[in-house]
Amino acid sequence: MELLKLVLVFGLIGLLCKAIDADQNVETEKQVSFSVIAVWRSYNKNACPCTCPVEDAPWLKGIEGHYNGCHDAVDKFCGKAKEAGDVAVRSLKEYFAKLIYFTDSNSTIITTGSTEILNSLSKCINLNSNGLNIIVEFNKVFLSIIDDFVRVIKSLEVYIGDDLTCSLTDSIRDLGREFSKYMNEFLKSCRLFGCRKKIDYECVLKQLQKLMNNVALINETLLNQCEEATQQVREAVMVLDMLYCYVAISVQGIYSCSLDALNSRDIVVSKTVKSSSISFEYALVEVTQAICDITLPLGDNIAELLTAFVNITMALNSTLKSIFGLVGGLGLTVGQIAKNLLGGVATTSTVTQERTNILKGVVRN
């Protein structure tokens, strides 16, 4: 049994590597034809003809600018920075297309969540020109986006409970502070020291891993402890997966922008950051794909997303264990999580403790 579990984990790692290798062979120049407005009109049955002003969906112009600016800037990157940036841009394109698809779903929770995320991300219209400018402009709006995401999580409290709401908002705010701190220090280094002062990205990646563990443990508990959970609870947890996905895209994107700035000045990035970033890159591709595989009407296919998210997290934790150690999760027991998801209904089933321990751990700095 123990051997079987190890085979499962390392098999997943192999699949992740295979997926990213295949994905990177796609010709990226085709991305330029992607139109947010066209995607919205193709999915939204209530959309006007092409002559209709895009004000029908107030986020459309901002999201179009967000994607086009990032695409055009990354297209100028070179080497490893371009490879990393291409993954972020492809993931962003697929993510936006799926969010737009969900704005006309049969679920009020999913439609509202998708729309609120799109409204928030439409602030990123000035991410363009080059990697350094993207960091400057994203840093201006990022903490505001985190505040928006916190509001989305709080709106789900009736479905996920107050304990999970508090833990998740704390986790995403922790990541927000660490990520903002990194961007501020990196920009200061570039302004005063030609980007030569070392600014550690590991702290950002650790917080991202912690957030992923948080969401994965909720997914795992819902799958194995909460057969009595309502469809609304499952949809609420799906929104959490969607929120995580954008944060992961932004971490990958800003890494590529930083790498572009450093490469242009012949500054070497540490092997630890390079190797761990590649692992997160594999995970991002798979999480994005799992979300994109969800089709309407929503039903049992949500369970496929939850399962994929847990398996991807296990594989990522396994590859990063030798680098970061174990990075912790919610600080709540599985029973407490289940109680929140079930609204206080008792549960008697159990989750395999070893699998749970892979998701939960102690941060080792």
Side-chain angles (χ1 to χ4, degrees):
M1 182 60 71
E2 301 299 326
L3 180 59
L4 181 61
K5 290 177 182 177
L6 287 174
V7 170
L8 172 64
V9 171
F10 287 105
L12 287 167
I13 297 170
L15 288 174
L16 295 180
C17 296
K18 183 177 180 181
I20 190 67
D21 287 342
D23 197 42
Q24 285 181 335
N25 288 327
V26 177
E27 294 182 1
T28 58
E29 55 265 34
K30 293 182 180 179
Q31 295 172 21
V32 74
S33 63
F34 176 71
S35 168
V36 170
I37 295 171
V39 170
W40 179 75
R41 285 179 174 145
S42 70
Y43 283 147
N44 194 304
K45 62 187 178 184
N46 297 317
C48 312
C50 292
T51 55
C52 180
V54 297
E55 282 74 17
D56 286 0
W59 43 262
L60 276 173
K61 285 185 177 179
I63 294 297
E64 182 94 17
H66 186 340
Y67 173 79
N68 287 339
C70 291
H71 172 273
D72 294 347
V74 168
D75 199 45
K76 302 171 188 174
F77 291 2
C78 299
K80 296 298 181 181
K82 180 164 175 52
E83 291 178 14
D86 282 344
V87 171
V89 170
R90 283 196 296 273
S91 299
L92 189 66
K93 177 183 72 171
E94 294 163 6
Y95 180 75
F96 280 160
K98 204 64 185 185
L99 284 184
I100 296 167
Y101 173 73
F102 287 144
T103 60
D104 194 34
S105 80
N106 58 318
S107 161
T108 301
I109 294 171
I110 297 299
T111 296
T112 302
S114 299
T115 303
E116 289 179 349
I117 294 170
L118 288 166
N119 281 330
S120 178
L121 302 185
S122 66
K123 301 172 185 177
C124 301
I125 196 167
N126 293 321
L127 307 188
N128 50 42
S129 300
N130 55 61
L132 210 53
N133 183 68
I134 287 178
I135 299 176
V136 170
E137 294 299 328
F138 189 64
N139 190 39
K140 292 177 182 178
V141 298
F142 177 64
L143 288 181
S144 174
I145 291 171
I146 290 296
D147 288 340
D148 294 339
F149 283 13
V150 166
R151 280 191 288 273
V152 172
I153 295 170
K154 287 183 176 180
S155 72
L156 302 173
E157 183 174 345
V158 66
Y159 306 110
I160 66 174
D162 55 353
D163 291 335
L164 293 185
T165 300
C166 290
S167 294
L168 284 167
T169 55
D170 286 347
S171 181
I172 200 166
R173 279 178 169 145
D174 287 345
L175 186 146
R177 282 190 292 270
E178 202 64 57
F179 201 4
S180 181
K181 177 183 176 183
Y182 167 82
M183 288 187 282
N184 283 320
E185 292 184 352
F186 185 83
L187 292 172
K188 182 179 178 181
S189 169
C190 291
R191 186 173 65 252
L192 299 179
F193 308 105
C195 300
R196 296 189 177 278
K197 182 179 179 181
K198 181 181 177 182
I199 310 297
D200 192 1
Y201 207 56
E202 288 182 35
C203 293
V204 176
L205 297 178
K206 286 181 181 180
Q207 289 296 337
L208 179 63
Q209 187 184 8
K210 181 179 178 181
L211 177 62
M212 189 177 192
N213 283 344
N214 290 347
V215 178
L217 187 56
I218 294 170
N219 287 352
E220 170 81 359
T221 305
L222 180 58
L223 285 167
N224 293 283
Q225 289 273 106
C226 303
E227 293 180 4
E228 301 172 44
T230 65
Q231 177 69 6
Q232 288 80 7
V233 170
R234 292 180 173 86
E235 291 168 1
V237 174
M238 178 177 159
V239 172
L240 300 181
D241 292 0
M242 290 157 55
L243 289 173
Y244 167 81
C245 189
Y246 180 76
V247 175
I249 291 171
S250 65
V251 169
Q252 173 72 10
I254 293 301
Y255 168 72
S256 72
C257 293
S258 302
L259 197 59
D260 180 64
L262 295 174
N263 287 347
S264 66
R265 294 163 174 81
D266 297 322
I267 301 172
V268 178
V269 178
S270 73
K271 291 182 179 179
T272 298
V273 170
K274 283 183 180 178
S275 59
S276 56
S277 294
I278 290 172
S279 299
F280 280 102
E281 183 177 283
Y282 297 158
L284 171 60
V285 169
E286 290 298 299
V287 168
T288 305
Q289 185 60 55
I291 291 173
C292 290
D293 286 343
I294 297 292
T295 56
L296 300 176
L298 296 169
D300 294 340
N301 52 8
I302 292 180
E304 297 175 6
L305 168 61
L306 305 182
T307 301
F309 197 101
V310 172
N311 288 338
I312 295 163
T313 305
M314 290 175 65
L316 179 66
N317 285 345
S318 179
T319 59
L320 294 178
K321 184 176 179 181
S322 62
I323 301 173
F324 294 155
L326 293 176
V327 177
L330 285 170
L332 298 174
T333 67
V334 171
Q336 288 173 310
I337 296 172
K339 187 175 181 180
N340 275 260
L341 296 176
L342 292 173
V345 178
T347 179
T348 57
S349 61
T350 59
V351 175
T352 303
Q353 191 61 44
E354 181 173 346
R355 195 173 191 193
T356 302
N357 285 339
I358 293 175
L359 298 174
K360 295 174 71 179
V362 179
V363 177
R364 297 175 184 173
N365 294 318

